[in-house]
């Protein structure tokens, strides 16, 4: 399973970026996928969880500015970021939980076990 983020870059405060995450060897599903971010000296922060294309959660720090989505084929995640702030500067990662079949039912991993390499987002004045 491989996840690959794209779309990062440098932008001025107030600007916008849209990140994408493409998966191979797996399909994003209702077990959950996520966007995390980490900046130097800070702990990794959960930005969004995507369960289905229409069911997502967002961290309070990004509500009203970010939106997360997933395509219906389960091949891509998106994180659309608007009105970016200096504090949004970080490496952004996509991640996914594992789904397996156990006794005829789907079983989801407790943790996000598949991770991308990350894409840098830098917001400047």
């Amino acid at each position: 399973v491989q996840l690959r983020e794209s779309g990062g870059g440098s932008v001025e405060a107030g600007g916008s970026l849209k990140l994408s995450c493409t998966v191979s060897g797996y399909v994003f599903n209702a077990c959950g996928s996520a966007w995390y971010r980490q900046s130097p000296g800070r702990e990794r922060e959960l930005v969004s969880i995507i369960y289905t294309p229409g069911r997502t959660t967002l961290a309070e720090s990004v509500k009203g500015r970010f939106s997360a989505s997933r395509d219906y084929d389960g091949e891509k995640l998106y994180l659309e970021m608007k009105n970016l702030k200096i504090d949004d500067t970080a490496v952004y990662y996509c991640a996914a939980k594992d789904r397996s079949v156990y006794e005829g039912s789907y079983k989801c991993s407790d943790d996000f076990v598949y991770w991308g390499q990350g894409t840098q987002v830098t917001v400047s004045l």
Side-chain angles (χ1 to χ4, degrees), residues 78-92:
Y78 301 98
L79 184 67
E80 187 160 13
M81 307 181 292
K82 298 180 179 180
N83 191 19
L84 282 159
K85 303 177 179 180
I86 302 291
D87 282 351
D88 295 320
T89 295
V91 178
Y92 284 72

Side-chain angles (χ1 to χ4, degrees), residues 10-59:
S10 297
V11 64
E12 291 183 351
S16 301
L17 283 174
K18 185 174 182 177
L19 306 183
S20 299
C21 174
T22 302
V23 65
S24 59
Y26 192 67
V27 176
F28 294 125
N29 52 68
C31 281
S33 311
W35 287 99
Y36 281 83
R37 66 185 181 184
Q38 188 166 24
S39 53
R42 294 186 178 181
E43 292 191 358
R44 187 172 58 193
E45 177 188 12
L46 176 63
V47 176
S48 175
I49 299 178
I50 305 102
Y51 295 100
T52 67
R55 182 178 165 222
T56 63
T57 67
L58 287 168

Side-chain angles (χ1 to χ4, degrees), residues 1 9 17 48 52 61 63 75 79 88 90 93 103-104 106 109 121 123:
V1 177
L17 283 174
S48 175
T52 67
S61 59
K63 279 185 179 178
E75 296 176 347
L79 184 67
D88 295 320
Y93 301 90
E103 295 185 343
Y106 286 126
S109 63
V121 172
V123 185

